[in-house]
Amino acid sequence: MTFAPRTWVVGEVVTAALLNQEIRDQFSSIFDAWTTYTPTWTATSNPNISNGTITGRYLKVGRRCIAVVKITMGSSTTFGSGGYNIGLPFAAAAGVDYTGTARLVAVNAWVGQVIMSASSSAFNCAFPTSQTDSRSATWAATTPDTLANSHVLRAQVDYQTAS
C-alpha cells in the first residue's frame, strides 16, 4: 500500500534505506498482488450465499481503488428480495458518482454496469430489463433472469476512496 511521500529537510543525509522506502517500496506496492476481501451481499431482505461463493479483491494506490467481485450461486443459495448491494473494500469519496462493468451469466449472459453513489460503501448492478428492452433495472432475484444454482456475477469498479 502506498503512503504519503516524505517531506525532505535541507541538509538531511539521504541514505539507501530512505531511498528504498521512498522510491522502491512505493513502486513495489503498485505491482504487488491484489488484496482479497469478502464483500457483503445485501438487499431489502438479505440473500444468503450458503454453499455458493462470494469473493472480492482490490488494488489500492493512493486513494484510487479498483475492486473486483465474483458471486457464484450455490444449490442452497437463497436470493432474498429487493435490489442487491455489494460491499466495497473502502468507502467512496464524496462528490463523485462512479460506474463500472458487470456481467451476469444466468439463463442468458447479461452485460450491465456497476452504479455507485458518492460516499457509498456499496454498489449495485443494473442490467437490461429483458432481451428486447434495453432500459435498465437494478439486479435482483428475478432481474434480469431468475437466479439459480451455478449462475455467476462478475463486477468491477474503479473509484476514489474517501481516505
Side-chain angles (χ1 to χ4, degrees):
M1 170 106 46
T2 57
F3 52 87
R6 178 186 182 89
T7 301
W8 296 92
V9 178
V10 174
E12 184 173 2
V13 176
V14 178
T15 66
L18 288 173
L19 286 174
N20 286 340
Q21 180 182 19
E22 292 299 307
I23 299 170
R24 181 202 63 202
D25 296 350
Q26 291 275 26
F27 278 109
S28 291
S29 70
I30 295 170
F31 300 110
D32 278 348
W34 289 37
T35 304
T36 60
Y37 83 106
T38 302
T40 57
W41 184 28
T42 60
T44 305
S45 170
N46 288 337
N48 182 348
I49 196 67
S50 190
N51 67 339
T53 60
I54 182 166
T55 59
R57 60 189 174 99
Y58 67 88
L59 176 65
K60 187 171 188 256
V61 178
R63 289 181 57 190
R64 180 183 185 192
C65 183
I66 303 167
V68 177
V69 172
K70 180 180 179 187
I71 301 174
T72 303
M73 316 310 161
S75 61
S76 61
T77 298
T78 58
F79 301 104
S81 65
Y84 295 140
N85 291 299
I86 301 166
L88 293 164
F90 305 96
V96 182
D97 292 334
Y98 300 92
T99 61
T101 58
R103 178 177 164 90
L104 175 66
V105 178
V107 174
N108 296 293
W110 300 89
V111 176
Q113 70 183 141
V114 167
I115 301 164
M116 183 174 74
S117 299
S119 303
S120 181
S121 59
F123 66 86
N124 60 51
C125 300
F127 292 99
T129 56
S130 73
Q131 292 178 338
T132 59
D133 187 345
S134 62
R135 293 177 294 176
S136 66
T138 301
W139 180 45
T142 58
T143 304
D145 262 336
T146 299
L147 296 177
N149 184 37
S150 77
H151 292 177
V152 178
L153 172 86
R154 289 181 174 86
Q156 176 177 320
V157 64
D158 187 337
Y159 67 104
Q160 180 181 335
T161 62
S163 59

